[in-house]
Amino acid sequence: KQEVTQIPAALSVPEGENLVLNCSFTDSAIYNLQWFRQDPGKGLTSLLLIQSSQREQTSGRLNASLDKSSGRSTLYIAASQPGDSATYLCAVCADDYKLSFGAGTTVTVRA
Amino acid sequence: NAGVTQTPKFQVLKTGQSMTLQCAQDMNHEYMSWYRQDPGMGLRLIHYSVGAGITDQGEVPNGYNVSRSTTEDFPLRLLSAAPSQTSVYFCASTHLTTDTQYFGPGTRLTVL
């Protein structure tokens, strides 16, 4: 059974600092890995999707890396802003489209 | 496009009652799924469907039924609600060639 772990569970940084969020998974036989953002009381919004054959994906200030062999992914958010405050979820996808989620990292960016 | 819609947003049930959580998508996605989210835990897969007429169980299917009569709709039925089913329920859909999963806004269910 795939286990996904996100450390730390919570993170508080001053505005402008770079954010580094970690995700680890136990089974390297994955189809893709996705990072989601969840605002309080809301649904999930997909941020980045990395296919198993890729090493990284970038979108604006966001960059996600994938090291499948070591079972790790890292989400970098450059120059954080208060609007980046949210919970970030990592999800590993098997080839049957089932997602295994981590518990998330709750980020607070202080103005 | 409305994306993925879910109704109701909030629901309170008494133990033993039944109800249906509605989910619809207008993106013509083949794959749809239901997850539950509990505090301190990741989302867990309840049931999923790869197309109309095809459903299968996920990680935590007990106490729930699904059907998929059309591509657009994927309702989740609670047969006899229990307090352990108090949770936030999310429906998701994905196009099988793009892989990105789109989530609905969720239904917050409380079972007393």
Side-chain angles (χ1 to χ4, degrees):
Chain A
K1 179 178 179 289
Q2 180 75 266
E3 300 287 344
V4 182
T5 303
Q6 292 186 245
I7 294 173
L11 189 58
S12 179
V13 299
E15 183 176 3
E17 192 165 300
N18 296 334
L19 286 164
V20 180
L21 307 180
N22 297 303
C23 172
S24 62
F25 48 94
T26 54
D27 186 350
S28 62
I30 66 171
Y31 182 62
N32 62 52
L33 183 145
Q34 300 180 47
W35 283 94
F36 294 89
R37 170 183 171 137
Q38 185 176 28
D39 294 292
K42 304 291 186 183
L44 281 67
T45 301
S46 179
L47 296 174
L48 290 169
L49 183 152
I50 312 175
Q51 298 292 355
S52 62
S53 59
Q54 298 175 316
R55 297 300 297 263
E56 67 175 350
Q57 277 286 356
T58 298
S59 176
R61 295 185 294 112
L62 276 60
N63 174 275
S65 65
L66 174 63
D67 184 341
K68 205 171 64 163
S69 61
S70 67
R72 294 178 187 276
S73 177
T74 302
L75 177 66
Y76 301 90
I77 303 177
S80 61
Q81 304 168 357
D84 295 327
S85 298
T87 296
Y88 292 84
L89 298 165
C90 168
V92 173
C93 186
D95 59 5
D96 54 3
Y97 292 92
K98 296 178 185 176
L99 291 176
S100 298
F101 280 86
T105 296
T106 298
V107 171
T108 302
V109 181
R110 308 185 304 271
Chain B
N1 286 349
V4 180
T5 58
Q6 292 184 238
T7 56
K9 289 189 181 339
F10 301 94
Q11 183 70 47
V12 178
L13 291 178
K14 295 181 180 178
T15 296
Q17 288 185 314
S18 62
M19 77 159 296
T20 299
L21 279 61
Q22 301 291 345
C23 174
Q25 52 93 7
D26 60 359
M27 298 173 282
N28 202 32
H29 288 171
E30 303 95 334
Y31 184 90
M32 296 185 74
S33 53
W34 277 100
Y35 293 86
R36 60 177 288 172
Q37 184 176 36
D38 300 295
M41 301 179 70
L43 280 74
R44 292 180 291 169
L45 181 65
I46 304 171
H47 285 285
Y48 65 99
S49 169
V50 298
I54 305 170
T55 64
D56 207 344
Q57 297 181 350
E59 181 184 355
V60 288
N62 292 343
Y64 308 95
N65 273 356
V66 291
S67 60
R68 186 95 179 271
S69 57
T70 66
T71 299
E72 295 78 18
D73 299 300
F74 190 44
L76 178 73
R77 297 183 184 84
L78 278 70
L79 308 173
S80 177
S84 61
Q85 294 178 305
T86 294
S87 188
V88 182
Y89 291 84
F90 290 100
C91 178
S93 75
T94 187
H95 193 290
L96 294 182
T97 57
T98 63
D99 297 337
T100 300
Q101 301 218 10
Y102 297 85
F103 281 77
T107 293
R108 189 173 296 271
L109 176 68
T110 301
V111 183
L112 303 176

